[in-house]
Amino acid sequence: MTLLKVENLTVEFPSRRGTLTAIEDVCLTVAPGEILGMVGESGAGKSMTGAAIIGLIEPPGRIARGQILLNGSRIDNLGREDMRRVRGRQIGAIFQDPLTSLNPVLTVGEQLIETIQTHLKLSRSAARERAIDWLRRVGIPAPEKRVDTYPHQYSGGMRQRVVIALALCAEPRLIIADEPTTALDVSVQAQIIALLRKLCKETGASVILVTHDMGVIAETADRVAVMYAGRVIEVGAVADVLRAPRHPYTAGLMASIPRIGEKPDILPQIDGAMPRLNARPEGCAFNPRCPKRMEVCARLRPDLVADAQGEVACHLFSKELAT
Amino acid sequence: MLGFLIRRIIQAIIVMLAVALIAFMMFRFMGDPVSSMVPEHATEQERAEVRERLGLDQPLFVQYGRFVARAATGDFGLSWRNARPVSTLLAERFPATAELVLVAAALSLVVGIPLGIYTALRPNSFNAQMLQFLSLVGISLPTFVTGILLILVFSVWLGWLPSFGRGEVVDIGWWSTGFITASGLKALILPSIMLCLFQLTLIMRLVRAEMMEVLRTDYIKFARARGLRDRAINFRHALRNTLIPVITIFGLQLGGLIAFAIITETVFQWPGMGALFIQAVNFGDVPVMAAYLVLVSFIFVVINTSVDLLYASIDPRLRVDDAGPAGGGH
């Protein structure tokens, strides 16, 4: 049983100088109650994948190929109004910066009540009760009073709690959390992640957690998907991918995490930079930087292939070439 | 809030004193006032008497203090042209200008804001592009040209509307109004269109730019991600944030409307304060000019102070009496 199934999702941005492909043939599945971590460098397509799932790709971007299925039915081809009903009610979203995610001129309560009443048939007073209840659940002290205050009267961490309450208040089945802790103090990050995990366990919601913080992934996610240059290149259980990465890029990513206690003169890194959208190389996009490059890599793009340990898109693991 | 209010009022008083100083200096620019009051063959002694009677022998700052004290009670002396009290002259003319400015201001808001919203929400539609183009014309064409064109089309060619005057007015107490007679209302149409055209296009373009900016913000993105209806996003979330800067500009421009009314009143022979001022300039009638300057500045200052206070009611972040980010930690 899968809650979300993304198949060969491709998002393109037509421009005057030709079409740019932001993400290409992305395949993902999310099981009910599961937390899927999504990692990769900036520009790898993590946020774009999230935006495509929730149907909020900025024009002129568009889904060129593939489909997105939620509970077995397609949501990528829904009309504006139908998709609006899915957002918030079926799929919730949390964005990076809690300081700018809340409307400064409306009280926290007004924003919560509005969201609740948009999706659930509740009277204003019942919606208000529910709003206060949600503030309590996300750990806002004295929620009966705080419900009538404005976002600027909250600290950053408190605002992100409000954002979580707003994303969850209509009880969506899937939450897309796009770098939910990046803008927060380190001391607050762990609390927010723990809160998110606890609430999703309570409501049974699944989470796609987009981040480049490996520590957060290790602690929180069940499975992890690694993205590079618009493609998913490796998927697997967190323990497997973190301990025994198979794709050379994932291996490089893991090796570049500094370890406490070691003081190397030079921090390990992957040489080179991720190719720009309009300059992706032939074959495997990672091949110019790859330490294990083979002749085939510059020619043929490897597909994401599933085996017993997960999925990986690398010729090193392609069965045809191994034989 | 009270501290803020007091601070703003003190600032306003300082501005008014500076304006009064400029108005006071005007009397000096016109040369020695005594020489224009006494007969040409007056003796030195007669001149000295007049000077003493008018207090002109006092030190300048004493004269200035007296000018301010009198101005504060609305006393600007007599008009040099027809020897009537300046305050009476202004009071007679004030309703005409006030009604004209009021209608023009209302028009610029009622038409400008919806057009701005429309062009922001459908920026690529043909209508929006057309409006953008027309607004460019409205913003760059001098107002007297549009006024004359309006007269040509609607008064001369079509003969629908009067080309000058206020029409029939009715006195309610000291206030003469053109709002309640058909001819008064008809006479208002062309001058108020001419006067509001610049503000209208300005407000339209401002609302458009601000709204497009707001629609790109994270909180609008998050509102969409929560599945809120378009109407709620556009009007509840975006519009309120859009209007904050629009109010400032409108407040400033309201003063501008009063000042620009001089031109409109001249083109349409509208019997308002602006026309009075132009007459005063022609005759070198300094008391009227000084009083007009002080009065218009006073209106400016009152409007700007009110706008600052109005902010607080729209933008909760400016309410200084609220508790700041409350404790309780993260």
Side-chain angles (χ1 to χ4, degrees):
Chain A
M1 179 59 203
T2 52
L3 174 72
L4 180 82
K5 192 172 171 71
V6 177
E7 284 178 337
N8 296 90
L9 184 68
T10 302
V11 173
E12 289 179 351
F13 284 78
S15 77
R16 243 171 253 168
R17 286 192 214 126
T19 305
L20 297 176
T21 309
I23 57 173
E24 197 171 5
D25 289 326
V26 167
C27 299
L28 287 173
T29 57
V30 180
E34 182 184 46
I35 298 182
L36 174 72
M38 238 175 19
V39 292
E41 293 168 58
S42 309
K46 309 175 305 258
S47 299
M48 186 57 66
T49 307
I53 292 169
I54 202 164
L56 285 177
I57 300 171
E58 300 273 334
R62 57 186 160 83
I63 295 176
R65 275 201 310 278
Q67 49 183 0
I68 303 166
L69 297 116
L70 187 72
N71 280 326
S73 51
R74 280 184 75 167
I75 56 166
D76 56 295
N77 56 359
L78 290 179
R80 265 177 78 85
E81 179 61 16
D82 289 327
M83 193 59 213
R84 180 189 69 71
R85 279 180 226 271
V86 169
R87 285 198 289 270
R89 184 75 181 101
Q90 308 277 339
I91 307 176
I94 298 167
F95 295 125
Q96 192 178 98
D97 194 348
L99 301 183
T100 56
S101 286
L102 299 170
N103 190 329
V105 302
L106 297 174
T107 65
V108 164
E110 283 170 323
Q111 300 187 51
L112 272 164
I113 291 166
E114 175 184 37
T115 309
I116 292 166
Q117 284 194 308
T118 301
H119 294 293
L120 308 171
K121 278 203 160 78
L122 286 177
S123 69
R124 199 175 157 82
S125 60
R128 191 183 154 83
E129 281 306 304
R130 203 180 157 93
I132 293 171
D133 189 47
W134 266 105
L135 288 180
R136 188 176 296 118
R137 286 177 78 174
V138 296
I140 304 282
E144 307 80 11
K145 282 188 200 135
R146 300 310 297 273
V147 73
D148 292 318
T149 54
Y150 290 91
H152 71 275
Q153 293 163 299
Y154 287 72
S155 65
M158 283 292 163
R159 274 191 237 186
Q160 192 62 309
R161 287 169 189 262
V162 172
V163 168
I164 291 174
L166 277 164
L168 289 169
C169 65
E171 302 202 339
R173 309 313 308 145
L174 174 68
I175 308 288
I176 295 170
D178 192 350
E179 314 238 8
T181 57
T182 308
L184 299 176
D185 291 348
V186 180
S187 57
V188 186
Q189 290 183 353
Q191 292 176 20
I192 294 292
I193 290 293
L195 175 72
L196 190 61
R197 195 162 60 174
K198 174 184 142 239
L199 289 173
C200 290
K201 199 154 269 174
E202 281 173 23
T203 58
S206 308
V207 181
I208 295 179
L209 183 61
V210 176
T211 179
H212 39 233
D213 188 335
M214 284 298 178
V216 167
I217 295 282
E219 264 174 59
T220 318
D222 301 310
R223 283 191 311 134
V224 60
V226 184
M227 286 193 78
Y228 183 80
R231 287 172 162 261
V232 176
I233 53 149
E234 183 163 1
V235 184
V238 167
D240 294 345
V241 174
L242 260 54
R243 270 192 221 114
R246 296 199 287 168
H247 196 288
Y249 172 70
T250 319
L253 203 60
M254 296 307 152
S256 58
I257 301 171
R259 275 167 190 77
I260 291 173
E262 290 173 26
K263 280 191 179 165
D265 292 331
I266 301 165
L267 287 171
Q269 60 171 2
I270 309 173
D271 288 330
M274 199 170 65
R276 296 218 310 262
L277 286 185
N278 55 2
R280 283 188 185 150
E282 284 279 299
C284 175
F286 188 59
N287 88 73
R289 302 171 74 187
C290 183
K292 296 181 179 172
R293 182 173 58 239
M294 299 180 291
E295 177 268 332
V296 65
C297 297
R299 206 159 33 81
L300 209 64
R301 183 160 291 180
D303 289 323
L304 191 64
V305 181
D307 58 24
Q309 294 164 65
E311 295 163 73
V312 62
C314 179
H315 289 306
L316 288 172
F317 301 91
S318 298
K319 290 190 185 81
E320 309 93 77
L321 287 158
T323 51
Chain B
M1 193 73 203
L2 192 68
F4 175 69
L5 190 68
I6 291 169
R7 219 164 41 239
R8 291 295 303 156
I9 289 174
I10 290 173
Q11 282 169 4
I13 290 172
I14 293 171
V15 170
M16 284 314 298
L17 283 175
V19 169
L21 185 63
I22 295 169
F24 173 71
M25 301 285 275
M26 269 205 293
F27 288 92
R28 298 270 136 196
F29 290 149
M30 306 294 287
D32 185 2
V34 174
S35 58
S36 61
M37 284 179 194
V38 293
E40 262 176 58
H41 52 268
T43 62
E44 237 353 271
Q45 201 192 342
E46 281 170 328
R47 286 170 183 268
E49 272 170 23
V50 172
R51 187 163 278 131
E52 197 184 303
R53 187 151 47 82
L54 291 175
L56 293 175
D57 56 338
Q58 306 273 329
L60 265 186
F61 68 89
V62 175
Q63 291 185 41
Y64 171 62
R66 290 224 312 250
F67 174 78
V68 169
R70 294 216 329 265
T73 61
D75 178 7
F76 288 94
L78 297 181
S79 160
W80 290 354
R81 190 171 144 248
N82 53 15
R84 293 178 59 204
V86 172
S87 50
T88 316
L89 284 175
L90 282 173
E92 278 172 13
R93 300 299 196 99
F94 181 73
T97 299
E99 288 187 354
L100 179 63
V101 168
L102 196 72
V103 171
L107 263 182
S108 63
L109 283 182
V110 169
V111 180
I113 292 177
L115 286 184
I117 295 170
Y118 176 79
T119 49
L121 294 181
R122 309 238 176 292
N124 297 320
S125 73
F126 175 76
N127 285 341
Q129 307 242 346
M130 205 63 209
L131 280 168
Q132 269 298 96
F133 174 73
L134 284 177
S135 72
L136 208 61
V137 175
I139 221 161
S140 34
L141 214 58
T143 49
F144 62 88
V145 174
T146 51
I148 291 165
L149 283 176
L150 286 172
I151 290 176
L152 181 68
V153 174
F154 293 99
S155 306
V156 180
W157 289 352
L158 297 170
W160 290 350
L161 297 165
S163 61
F164 66 91
R166 279 187 88 188
E168 240 180 287
V169 291
V170 177
D171 288 337
I172 299 171
W174 62 274
W175 187 280
S176 69
T177 178
F179 280 160
I180 48 179
T181 61
S183 75
L185 286 173
K186 265 172 100 174
L188 256 172
I189 296 175
L190 290 184
S192 54
I193 288 176
M194 169 183 160
L195 186 56
C196 83
L197 214 56
F198 179 79
Q199 326 290 330
L200 193 158
T201 48
L202 188 77
I203 285 175
M204 182 196 123
R205 295 177 74 90
L206 187 68
V207 167
R208 173 180 182 273
E210 285 295 331
M211 186 124 175
M212 289 177 88
E213 192 75 39
V214 169
L215 287 174
R216 275 195 294 268
T217 57
D218 285 350
Y219 55 85
I220 295 295
K221 216 170 100 189
F222 187 45
R224 284 196 209 291
R226 301 203 300 276
L228 300 184
R229 292 184 183 86
D230 282 348
R231 195 164 5 112
I233 289 171
N234 292 339
F235 293 100
R236 205 170 130 83
H237 288 258
L239 189 58
R240 268 183 82 171
N241 284 288
T242 301
L243 289 183
I244 293 170
V246 172
I247 287 174
T248 337
I249 300 291
F250 179 71
L252 291 173
Q253 290 297 321
L254 203 56
L257 277 180
I258 296 168
F260 269 115
I262 292 181
I263 299 166
T264 307
E265 288 178 6
T266 307
V267 170
F268 285 94
Q269 294 169 43
W270 190 262
M273 292 193 303
L276 181 73
F277 176 73
I278 293 291
Q279 283 169 15
V281 169
N282 285 335
F283 286 95
D285 194 348
V286 176
V288 173
M289 284 153 68
Y292 178 81
L293 180 68
V294 171
L295 183 64
V296 169
S297 312
F298 179 70
I299 295 170
F300 253 91
V301 166
V302 168
I303 290 169
N304 284 342
T305 308
S306 326
V307 165
D308 278 353
L309 299 179
L310 194 63
Y311 268 171
S313 68
I314 293 193
D315 192 338
R317 284 166 296 186
L318 296 178
R319 280 175 217 156
V320 276
D321 57 345
D322 280 345
H330 299 293

